[in-house]
Amino acid sequence: MTNIQQEFKKLAVIGTGVIGNGWIARFLAQGYDVVAFDPAEGAEAKTRKTVSHAWSSLEKLGLAPGASRERLTFVPTLEEAVSDADLIQENVPEREELKKNVLASIDQFAKPEAIIGSSTSGIMPSVLQEGLTHPERFLVAHPFNPVYILPLVELVGGEATTQAVIKKAAQFYELIQMKPLIINKEIEGHLADRLMEALWREALHLVNDGVATTEEVDAAIIYGAGLRWAQMGPFLTFHLAGGEKGMRHMLEQFGPALKLPWTKLEAPELTDELKEKVIQGCESHAGDVSISELEQKRNEFLVELLDLVEKYWPESNNLVKK
Amino acid sequence: MTNIQQEFKKLAVIGTGVIGNGWIARFLAQGYDVVAFDPAEGAEAKTRKTVSHAWSSLEKLGLAPGASRERLTFVPTLEEAVSDADLIQENVPEREELKKNVLASIDQFAKPEAIIGSSTSGIMPSVLQEGLTHPERFLVAHPFNPVYILPLVELVGGEATTQAVIKKAAQFYELIQMKPLIINKEIEGHLADRLMEALWREALHLVNDGVATTEEVDAAIIYGAGLRWAQMGPFLTFHLAGGEKGMRHMLEQFGPALKLPWTKLEAPELTDELKEKVIQGCESHAGDVSISELEQKRNEFLVELLDLVEKYWPESNNLVKK
């Protein structure tokens, strides 16, 4: 057992909506004792149903030794849930005042050294930790739905969060098979949600302006960019669209388009400094793998992915009208 | 042989960069004769190399009877390339004047009934067809890299394009195993690129503002949203994030976030009309499949997709720094 395993034995989940339940399923599958609290009527039954639904996928991903759905306890008060926990995951609705109130209670009843992670999609940690007695052990730990399958968790500390807490949290989330992405600059929406939100708002504009239906937007992503982003993300994907010279050529060719009204979002100035950051970032991500090898890997991936899409959601075929 | 098969026998590709070569590979794999023209030195050798690289993936996807790399001919003039072609795909660099000049030559030398499709990423068809002798047979047919694997092609007619031409083009692109998405409202960037461009510009801002490196942006997409979008697109994905009540609940919970600075893009007003469009679109995309069944399909898909990502691009593991 590693040190980190010894330090985190009991986990508390506060708020059991879609995200809270996702955490519970992941924690249980990773072999932890979980205590949950949610004041909503019928919350426990809903959670147990969600965990049962998720379990077959979790088995396929691989359960930790000792993992059991029986190791979940619902308790009637927040105090009971957090008083004995080593890590508390907060998942109440995305309203600043509500979150601050709940976090104040967690802070009050938790052990002083327990780590508090908030699943907030967009509120900055410095805002949420204001007024806590022990703000140093608070951080944003923002996951993605379904939490029990998707590996990404964004970790963002506030001004009062210690580096030691961020480091320890990263080790813990990694231990439970996640990819902790530490974000060093606080910003509304953190990182992933800013990207998602930009696309989401543009999509809402397109629907609002009568350019497309939601189904056409879904089709435009499913059969195009969505397939590529899953493997390499937006930057490395464009690195491959530039041919042999990669991102350098891509920026030469499409840089001028940043001035065009191709979205309602204004682009930053494509300065030499920004260009070099982008080019070098792509070259570093690609590592020693040549563009031609990258293309081969991408192609093989896409051929298999198209089969998967067809296997699990052939209904998208109906999105493209004849 | 269908009527459409009889109508399209010889295809011309003008401009053989990454996109033009992608078209050539797809056309050849689908069993067509292809004539290509590009004034750049060494263009033919580059194209043949690209097609060779793509061929193993095309074999996996399934070659049409008679498909052969030998059925590609490079010719020294645009006139020779297009004079005998039934469909001409234009892929010169994304500069309006250049495209208009090349399209004027294509229009001049092509058979009057030949269809001209432009691969333009963002220029509106009405702009490009201005001044053509036969503007009625011109449309935007915008594909996605790698064109020989990704099925999406956006079809946009200009003011002068006939409905018959759009319909015939849709039949043709479908015949070559694509998903033609007909877009009825002309707009800069069409549909898919607007979504991609919004995310891309936000990503550039994040890099420019020092919030994240390009590699962190890639990680944020690869391990999060990217995995989900490949299957169901942004709208249906959020439909599932709303729990049992789907998008209706999602908009209640995250609608207010549209007022928050979670991206540099301002959102539209979330009117009742827009809400209903979005909710009904998601319900229609989901069809008779319940949220719980959708979740099951999503989960099974994601479990397999994570394996694929690991199999073909384990290098992304290095993106998340320890």
Side-chain angles (χ1 to χ4, degrees), chain A residues 9-292:
Chain A
K9 289 192 168 155
K10 198 173 216 174
L11 311 176
V13 173
I14 304 301
T16 58
V18 171
I19 295 298
N21 284 337
W23 279 116
I24 290 173
R26 178 178 283 271
F27 291 159
L28 290 172
Q30 292 298 323
Y32 287 89
D33 289 312
V34 183
V35 190
F37 168 71
D38 191 304
E41 212 176 317
E44 177 168 357
K46 223 168 176 175
T47 296
R48 295 202 182 269
K49 198 173 145 198
T50 304
V51 173
S52 288
H53 274 290
W55 210 253
S56 64
S57 294
L58 288 164
E59 284 173 331
K60 279 185 204 146
L61 289 171
L63 298 177
S68 164
R69 284 172 276 184
E70 303 307 313
R71 291 173 68 182
L72 168 65
T73 317
F74 256 76
V75 290
T77 65
L78 184 144
E79 181 176 353
E80 287 168 84
V82 307
S83 58
D84 199 25
D86 303 305
L87 179 135
I88 299 123
Q89 191 76 38
E90 170 276 310
N91 322 277
V92 301
E94 196 69 17
R95 293 197 301 274
E96 192 177 311
E97 278 319 298
L98 174 63
K99 279 206 185 275
K100 289 184 81 163
N101 285 338
V102 171
L103 288 168
S105 298
I106 294 173
D107 182 51
Q108 182 189 343
F109 296 120
K111 294 184 288 188
E113 70 277 16
I115 287 182
I116 305 174
S118 170
S119 299
T120 178
S121 300
I123 309 173
M124 294 198 284
S126 290
V127 173
L128 291 176
Q129 75 190 168
E130 267 169 26
L132 298 191
T133 310
H134 290 287
E136 71 283 353
R137 47 69 173 273
F138 172 85
L139 80 169
V140 165
H142 175 230
F144 295 80
N145 185 51
V147 181
Y148 49 91
I149 300 181
L150 291 198
L152 185 64
V153 58
E154 295 180 302
L155 302 185
V156 201
E159 285 166 32
T161 313
T162 62
Q163 286 300 311
V165 161
I166 296 174
K167 198 177 159 193
K168 203 194 277 186
Q171 288 174 323
F172 166 73
Y173 289 111
E174 202 175 357
L175 197 67
I176 61 166
Q177 307 303 317
M178 298 185 87
K179 303 282 185 192
L181 183 61
I182 298 170
I183 295 160
N184 290 312
K185 196 161 172 174
E186 279 187 86
I187 177 173
E188 292 94 345
H190 324 315
L191 175 55
D193 267 3
R194 291 191 74 88
L195 301 164
M196 282 164 55
E197 187 77 14
L199 185 142
W200 171 239
R201 290 186 186 185
E202 187 69 30
L204 288 176
H205 276 298
L206 290 164
V207 171
N208 198 43
D209 295 347
V211 175
T213 65
T214 66
E215 294 169 276
E216 288 166 342
V217 167
D218 280 347
I221 291 295
I222 294 169
Y223 292 117
L227 296 172
R228 305 182 306 194
W229 285 334
Q231 184 185 27
M232 295 183 176
F235 281 105
L236 202 65
T237 293
F238 277 159
H239 189 51
L240 294 196
E244 281 170 16
K245 285 187 220 139
M247 183 54 86
R248 195 171 294 278
H249 178 70
M250 177 70 196
L251 289 180
E252 276 165 25
Q253 194 166 11
F254 281 97
L258 291 175
K259 303 280 186 195
L260 300 175
W262 280 12
T263 144
K264 301 214 181 197
L265 177 54
E266 274 204 40
E269 197 62 41
L270 195 59
T271 59
D272 285 349
E273 196 193 337
L274 177 54
K275 269 189 196 168
E276 285 311 311
K277 272 194 195 174
V278 168
I279 292 163
Q280 283 165 26
C282 287
E283 289 173 352
S284 157
H285 183 177
D288 293 334
V289 185
S290 73
I291 294 269
S292 161

Side-chain angles (χ1 to χ4, degrees), chain B residues 137-169:
Chain B
R137 45 70 173 271
F138 171 84
L139 79 168
V140 165
H142 175 231
F144 295 80
N145 185 51
V147 181
Y148 49 90
I149 300 181
L150 291 198
L152 185 65
V153 58
E154 296 181 301
L155 301 185
V156 201
E159 284 166 31
T161 313
T162 62
Q163 286 300 312
V165 161
I166 295 173
K167 197 177 160 195
K168 203 194 277 186

Side-chain angles (χ1 to χ4, degrees), chain A residues 179-180 260 304 312 317 320, chain B residues 179-180 201 304 312 317 320:
Chain A
K179 303 282 185 192
L260 300 175
E304 290 204 46
Y312 288 112
N317 284 316
V320 176
Chain B
K179 304 282 184 190
R201 290 186 185 184
E304 291 204 44
Y312 288 112
N317 284 316
V320 176

